[in-house]
Amino acid sequence: MPSLAAVAWSLAVPLALAAHPAGAAAQSPARGPLVIFSAGSLARPMSELARAFAERTPGVQWQQESSGSLEAARKLTELGKVPDVLAVADHRVLEALIVPRHARWYANFARGAMVLAYTERSAGASEINGQNWWRILLRPGVRTGRADPVLDPNGYRTLMVLQLAERHYQVDGLAARLQAAMPRRFVRAKEADLVALLQAGELDYAWSYRSLAATLGLRYVELPPEIDLRDTAFAAAYAAASVRLPGATRRGADSVTFRGEPIRYALTVPAAAPHPELAHAFAQFALSPDGLAILRRNLFLVDDRPSFVGDPPAGLVVPVRPRPPARSSR
């Protein structure tokens, strides 16, 4: 079996780097470039956050590289490529691979939901819904894509959804049948790579996140809360699903097991970040009320106050800005 580093390189998409001139506002904490590694599903909101940060911080340039979350983490741990900020689609990636050896803290800043994205040209588009979706995916000739679980949390979350669906619909062997209906030729390094295939008509359906599907204008199936990994009320039920992946962790094991739980996005600043002062300033902005508002506009589920794990630097925990009271409909 090839090394994880080799797998990451062979499946990695070309770097998507974008440098932006600074705007005008406050004093810059340091010279850039600010390098951000982000999950594919965070590419758009992280770009918007970086642009807004640069407008407030003169002299800053930023670069963003998007990939699957596991691949992004392994670029740091196995390839020695250290970003200033690492933002992933699953906080457990940071727990398993990054903290505490490569970073001392991380912040959970958003939640999400698994959906089944499709277009008006997809087979069964006129009839699919949150109850019959699995029957349609099992029809002969229906093409469904998924992300690689070795590189992207969306990939192993897809497998968890299939396991939970088998329990929810009480159909023995359903998870295996659904997985068999998604052959390797429909597997990509990250779920964002599936969108082009879907839009080109080369796929009928693709497993994705609600935020990504909605912001791209795709149709999507809202799954029952018992299986979509969104609702904290079903956390105990989600834990019945698990996926074991190969790969060394910080504990030196040759595999790591992920169990189902509500989706949580997280970010950190690596201990060896090239521009730590600038990185922490960006993290503080991203976790501020203004930064969280950008995430909400991108249809992420966002709490008013991010939760921190580990030992974040002093001053990073930002104050909560109360939301205005809802207007009465009376």
Side-chain angles (χ1 to χ4, degrees), residues 5 23 47-48 65 88 96 113 123 134 144 168 179 189 260 268 297 304-305 327 330:
S47 175
E48 292 185 20
E65 183 175 329
V88 298
W134 59 274
T144 306
H168 179 67
Q179 186 171 346
T268 188
R297 288 200 299 270
D304 288 330
R305 183 188 294 275
R327 292 185 178 179
R330 298 169 61 183

Side-chain angles (χ1 to χ4, degrees), residues 34-38 46 63 65 76 82-88 105 266-270 273-276 278-283 286:
L34 173 72
V35 179
I36 303 169
F37 285 3
S38 70
M46 280 293 152
Q63 297 177 340
E65 183 175 329
L76 190 164
V82 184
D84 292 300
V85 176
L86 174 61
V88 298
W105 62 274
L267 64 79
T268 188
V269 173
H275 310 97
L278 186 62
H280 286 114
F282 172 79

